[in-house]
Amino acid sequence: MNEETRNKNGIGNEQKKSPGEKPAERKKIILSGIQPTGIFTLGNYIGAIRNWGVMQEEYHCAYFIADLHSLTVRQEPAALRKQSLEAFALLLACGIDPDKSLVFIQSHVHNHAELSWILSCNSSFGALSRMTQFKDKAARHADNVNAGLFTYPALMAADILLYQPDYVPVGEDQRQHLEFTRDIVEHFNGIYGNVFRMPEAYIPKAGARVMSLQDPAKKMSKSDPNPNAYISILDEPNVIINKFRRAVTDSETEVCFREGKDGINNLMTIYSVITGRSLDQIERDFAGKGYGDFKAEVGSAVAEKLRPIREDFARFMQDKEWLAQQYRRGAEKAAEISARTLAKVKKKVGLLMP
Ligand code: TRP
């Protein structure tokens, strides 16, 4: 296989063709990353990571811990190291299977940082200045408005483009960065030819945004000062059940999905995703029962769903050697795949090959 076709096939190149056989349709490639900024919440799980697991069956998937991105905000070194390992173990505990997907830690694959430089040189200052996340973070961390915070989207573009993905599942807050990546592709391919595949945002079929249990108008967030507002996916069952019992609802009594019932809508959405039951079915199941019963049911369903994740996580964290084997294997494979794109880019922009 020559370099050109290899690059087109992207991750793994599993596509096999024997002479005379009709070419099989290329399996599409998915890539996404998550920052190691703490134990994931039920919101991260339902909105993203649960789907990452499901998508492994249908696509070639690459998932990574975006530790380089976390450096744009000052970190306590020991804490960052710990969180990166935990985040990696959590991905595996949530069902990301290193035998099916490429799973790795961003900083272990130096091609990311390297392509990021080349893409920075192809990123417009004006476009970077318009990124709302940059403006927000610069305002929130006024004492540390560093260049990395500014060029963050170029690193994210490198993460993506190295693996030539078709789809990138991202939350609303990262949409603008994906658009930025797409602009780079257009600009770069326009100058140098067909180097990068144009990535698209991936919108999950059953999209679900999980809201705070204490203020259902706000997104569930692990940085919420009130721990009752979010469920950590490692919370113990009794903690989960208690948090749901205290969830803010409204002064009515009927379990139904309706405008103005943000709290109940949120609980119904969570329950629906966790149990696979439709909203209609849930309304019927809880007709005539009060909020108390419903909250208790949601709490125990979530606790049961998260139990094996918590147990697997604890098991994985006890075997650091095994975890290290997994992330080393992921990094090795990721380096090999991303090196193809990087080599092509370097040649195109005129760097002398060593
Ligand atoms: N910036 C993303 C976030 O903070 C994480 C991320 C880094 C990412 N690189 C990526 C997501 C590439 C998707 C694709 O959530």
Side-chain angles (χ1 to χ4, degrees), residues 6-299:
R6 272 224 294 250
N7 261 310
K8 285 209 189 85
N9 290 344
I11 294 181
N13 306 315
E14 278 79 357
Q15 192 175 342
K16 286 197 190 75
K17 242 192 294 175
S18 51
E21 195 189 336
K22 234 173 63 185
E25 194 171 336
R26 181 179 63 81
K27 208 168 176 180
K28 295 272 168 48
I29 300 167
I30 293 250
L31 170 137
S32 200
I34 189 160
Q35 288 198 40
T37 42
I39 300 300
F40 309 148
T41 66
L42 182 65
N44 299 128
Y45 177 70
I46 287 182
I49 295 158
R50 193 184 61 95
N51 299 317
W52 292 8
V54 174
M55 290 184 297
Q56 306 181 102
E57 311 304 328
E58 201 179 328
Y59 302 99
H60 287 306
C61 298
Y63 301 121
F64 64 94
I65 304 301
D67 56 347
L68 293 174
H69 277 93
S70 297
L71 295 181
T72 55
V73 173
R74 187 88 60 230
Q75 302 285 337
E76 213 278 285
L80 179 60
R81 242 186 309 273
K82 175 166 177 282
Q83 287 170 359
S84 298
L85 184 66
E86 287 177 346
F88 183 81
L90 269 179
L91 286 189
L92 303 191
C94 288
I96 310 293
D97 179 350
D99 288 328
K100 289 183 186 156
S101 300
L102 189 55
V103 210
F104 62 98
I105 293 172
Q106 184 186 29
S107 65
H108 293 178
V109 185
H110 50 68
N111 298 340
H112 290 239
E114 210 173 325
L115 180 61
S116 165
W117 172 254
I118 299 175
L119 296 184
S120 292
C121 298
N122 285 276
S123 299
S124 115
F125 187 91
L128 288 170
S129 322
R130 284 191 294 276
M131 296 291 124
T132 55
Q133 190 175 78
F134 169 69
K135 290 191 274 187
D136 283 358
K137 285 202 179 172
R140 270 191 288 136
H141 304 275
D143 56 333
N144 184 19
V145 184
N146 60 75
L149 198 58
F150 188 68
T151 56
Y152 175 120
L155 176 58
M156 182 156 157
D159 299 338
I160 296 171
L161 299 178
L162 279 172
Y163 300 88
Q164 306 280 1
D166 296 274
Y167 303 114
V168 182
V170 282
E172 219 30 72
D173 61 325
Q174 298 297 322
R175 276 303 187 84
Q176 198 184 24
H177 293 158
L178 187 58
E179 269 318 304
F180 177 85
T181 303
R182 290 170 53 85
D183 289 345
I184 288 192
V185 172
E186 196 153 285
H187 167 84
F188 200 94
N189 286 357
I191 300 174
Y192 300 106
N194 219 3
V195 179
F196 298 125
R197 176 177 290 135
M198 182 64 87
E200 271 172 52
Y202 183 89
I203 323 281
K205 285 179 199 114
R209 209 163 113 91
V210 176
M211 312 306 282
S212 155
L213 298 182
Q214 291 297 312
D215 178 0
K218 270 191 348 204
K219 202 176 125 182
M220 181 179 282
S221 160
K222 58 193 158 213
S223 52
D224 202 304
N226 180 356
N228 284 325
Y230 61 90
I231 303 287
S232 151
I233 63 172
L234 297 180
D235 277 346
E236 299 280 338
N238 64 320
V239 174
I240 296 176
I241 289 167
N242 268 322
K243 286 183 181 176
F244 276 105
R245 190 178 295 142
R246 292 194 193 142
V248 169
T249 50
D250 52 58
S251 54
E252 300 176 6
T253 55
E254 213 185 330
V255 177
C256 67
F257 198 96
R258 209 184 323 117
E259 204 177 325
K261 291 175 74 80
D262 292 351
I264 287 294
N265 295 350
N266 188 36
L267 298 185
M268 286 182 71
T269 303
I270 293 170
Y271 192 62
S272 169
V273 172
I274 295 291
T275 61
R277 287 189 227 172
S278 69
L279 297 175
D280 283 348
Q281 182 70 49
I282 298 169
E283 281 182 18
R284 267 181 268 126
D285 290 350
F286 288 90
K289 298 190 187 142
Y291 287 176
D293 285 352
F294 180 55
K295 287 180 182 178
E297 242 331 289
V298 180

